[in-house]
Amino acid sequence: MGKTSDNTQSKQQLKWWQLTLLGVAGTIGTGYFLGSGLAITIGGPAVLIVYLLAAAGTYIVFDALARMTANQPEQGSFRSYAKKAFGNWAGFGSGWVYWFSELLIMGSQLTALSIFARFWFPAVPMWVFATGFGLCGMVIVFFGNKGFDRVENVLAVIKLAAMVMFLVLAVALLAGWIGGGKYAPKVPLGPERFFPHGGIGLWSAFIFAFYAYGGIEVLGIMSYRLKEPKDAPKAGKVMLLSLATLYIVSIGLAVTMVPLKGFVPDKSPFVLALASDRLAFVPHLFNGVLIIAGFSTMTASLYAVTSMMVTLAQEGDAPKVFSRKWKKKYPLFALTLILCGLAAAIVLALLLPGKVYEYVTTAAGIMLLYNWAFILLSSGKLLESSVWNSVKRWSGLVLIAGAVSGTLFHKLSRPGFWISLLLVALIAICDVIVQRVRKNRQAPENSKAQRPAEALKDIRPMPGGAIFHLKGIRLRKNKV
């Protein structure tokens, strides 16, 4: 976004560790701080297993995306690779599936942010907070890469500090250094405590584990700005290893410190775990951190959908008007369309205040996984084929299929599955229409290009060998 330049080097200003920080900022959000509560409620302490599996699946997807980026950096990232691998229809489908997934993620984040803000101001309607946070995010993205990078780097550090703070306080409570805990800690050992809802419950929670890692696409979109594109895999490995470790340890502590019946979908499990008479300030402090985390990921998603909309418009997969920039540097038209999507999310928050987070989060997670499947399938076409790469690719696809199908088995996630199918069907219909229109436009151009070649067949010598006729057009006489 912001000021652009034809000089590629001016865009490639990120070091690998900066990209790692941006990845952390774009990943740790309400999908982890609040969505993990949904996962624990549905699957019990056994969700630790699906968080590990989701980390493995996320790494497989990012590894494929990073290797494609290292081979040939593209501003369109995974969308450009899908187009190269399968044609225009795949580029259109991948771009719009991602656009809708991130738009849903923003709706999910705005809803969560409103829930957190009402902790302090319960009388204020959710839509008021959603509107305020949405407008603030748009202002940051409006003013370009420099402002986005600075804000996201600061928020990444704050979120990591909050997670470290949770780990320190949790250990202090478990060790008895801080008294007054609300619950008596107990390690969930045994099948009944570890798998309270059986295999089906664990399967249903799988989507929320994947959702907590959503954000790797932002790394893919921003990888072309690396000083060394070959460092993209390193940035992703460090990010995912750090996230997986923090997720597993922190969730393990939470399920040890809070009984299963104590978890509720609309409260962070980490705030519940730190409940103590001697830590009365913690809920307020952590609530502020949750707002920072949610705002950060919401802004990262806003950056991603704005960038994707501009790219779609530039390449003819969206109306050209959305590629225009006010004063040649501000993506005003693309942000205007996105504002309409945010307005729809705010209306949903107004109409379904009790369930909108669960429904929208599930739909967003599924749409995200559809796009990850695109990435894996594209890598199969574009990267060097080997047995190990094929094993990784198909393992990733199996994990994605498992997470998507698991949403059918729980009442909280089932509506999100049908929402995702509806959106995919809409995108598919639009894709067919766009490709037909494009084909019809290209047909006359191709026929015009072929006319001179076809006309050469009609060139014939006239008597004297000096005058030629070309489909009735008399050419100038050259005497011999």
Side-chain angles (χ1 to χ4, degrees), residues 24-76:
V24 170
T27 302
I28 301 177
T30 57
Y32 165 66
F33 284 119
L34 187 60
S36 56
L38 267 175
I40 296 169
T41 303
I42 295 172
V47 295
L48 292 170
I49 296 173
V50 291
Y51 272 89
L52 279 173
L53 291 174
T58 305
Y59 173 73
I60 291 170
V61 175
F62 181 80
D63 180 61
L65 181 58
R67 285 188 292 128
M68 289 190 288
T69 300
N71 288 346
Q72 187 171 359
E74 294 277 0
Q75 185 172 357

Side-chain angles (χ1 to χ4, degrees), residues 331-388:
L332 181 63
F333 297 98
L335 283 171
T336 301
L337 176 64
I338 293 163
L339 181 61
C340 295
L342 291 179
I346 292 167
V347 171
L348 280 175
L350 182 64
L351 298 177
L352 300 170
K355 296 296 180 183
V356 66
Y357 180 72
E358 291 89 336
Y359 295 166
V360 176
T361 298
T362 306
I366 295 173
M367 293 291 286
L368 200 65
L369 293 188
Y370 290 157
N371 202 60
W372 287 12
F374 253 123
I375 292 172
L376 291 176
L377 293 172
S378 300
S379 70
K381 287 274 189 179
L382 300 178
L383 294 176
E384 183 180 349
S385 180
S386 68
V387 174
W388 176 234

Side-chain angles (χ1 to χ4, degrees), residues 189-221:
L189 298 176
E192 291 185 0
R193 295 201 66 215
F194 197 65
F195 293 95
H197 303 301
I200 294 295
L202 188 61
W203 191 3
S204 301
F206 202 177
I207 187 66
F208 300 106
F210 260 118
Y211 184 69
Y213 292 98
I216 59 168
E217 316 79 14
V218 177
L219 262 71
I221 289 174

Side-chain angles (χ1 to χ4, degrees), residues 33-34 37 115-116 263-272:
F33 284 119
L34 187 60
I115 291 172
F116 296 149
F263 292 103
V264 289
D266 60 347
K267 288 187 179 180
S268 172
F270 310 108
V271 173
L272 295 171

Side-chain angles (χ1 to χ4, degrees), residues 1-2 136-145 148 298-300 302-304 306-307 330-331 335:
M1 317 298 47
C136 288
M138 292 190 74
V139 169
I140 291 173
V141 174
F142 183 79
F143 286 105
N145 285 335
F148 174 79
M298 188 272 293
T299 306
L302 185 54
Y303 174 91
T306 307
S307 178
Y330 300 120
L335 283 171

